[in-house]
Amino acid sequence: MFAAAIFDMDGLLIDSERPIMAAWIEAARTLDIELSHSQYLQVVGLAMTESQHILASLLGGPDAYDHAAAHVRQRLQLERSDGTPLFPVKPGAAEFLAALGERGTRCAVASSSTSGQIQACLGSLGLLHHFSAFAGGDEVARAKPDPALYLLAAERLGVDPSECIAFEDSENGAKAALAAGLRVVVVPDLKHPPKAITGRAFHVLESLHDAVPHLPRWFPSPAGTQGKQPA
């Protein structure tokens, strides 16, 4: 069994990738550019500097990128005007986190978003209390697929990485967790990781709702003891 769970945020806990993609496509149109879904998918799961470079190339240069980025920032707010969240909780996420809490399993977030963005977003959705540690992209020198974020999250939990399961939706996130020595459960979102990654995954699930039945095998109950890790 495992001692802790570490989660990516965007595309895994919250449905943020679709609104963000829609905002960039809308921003591109203000520049009279049709940015396709397939073009935008090139940046999903990449570090910010890499995604900026690709988007700037697609949009016509740094000035065009800055114009579009300002539009996206204005468009993306944590809540809509009617008070509903722009980035809703992904199916099964709240249920799975609550079930982990009932078992006393320690949880952390390892996200390329900044630590402030992580806490603001999860706080607005009522999910913040499920986590005892956070590792943001602004706290490490290298982003995913480098293992630094997962190593930092495990360190803050006080747990060896080999005793953790990572939950990821993206190829780079899964690579980062595997490089850090974690088992990885892949829950694909917009961009399905290739077989080279899913073939190394502990499990591949349709949603975090599908993870709930695995809890008794993955994490001990409050009165349970650590045993042999399942295959």
Side-chain angles (χ1 to χ4, degrees), residues 6-101:
I6 303 180
F7 294 83
D8 177 45
M9 185 177 74
D10 293 288
L12 189 280
L13 292 175
I14 63 172
D15 192 3
S16 56
E17 299 289 7
R18 288 168 183 80
I20 291 172
M21 179 174 69
W24 277 103
I25 290 173
E26 180 183 286
R29 286 176 181 150
T30 68
L31 296 166
D32 294 323
I33 294 172
E34 285 297 320
L35 181 66
S36 69
H37 288 198
S38 61
Q39 286 176 317
Y40 180 81
L41 288 180
Q42 296 177 56
V43 308
V44 172
L46 295 183
M48 183 176 292
T49 53
E50 294 176 273
S51 63
Q52 286 176 346
H53 177 76
I54 292 172
L55 286 169
S57 176
L58 291 170
L59 295 172
D63 290 342
Y65 172 86
D66 290 341
H67 170 88
H71 181 94
V72 169
R73 283 193 297 270
Q74 184 176 16
R75 175 71 178 81
L76 295 178
Q77 302 294 328
L78 287 179
E79 292 188 352
R80 300 180 190 272
S81 58
D82 62 0
T84 59
L86 178 63
F87 301 152
V89 180
K90 289 293 292 284
E95 175 190 8
F96 186 52
L97 289 169
L100 286 168

Side-chain angles (χ1 to χ4, degrees), residues 28 46-47 71 78-79 131 141 149 151 162 171 173 186 190 202 206:
L46 295 183
H71 181 94
L78 287 179
E79 292 188 352
F131 302 98
L149 270 171
L151 293 173
S162 65
E171 177 181 0
V186 175
L190 279 181
F202 187 46
E206 290 295 319

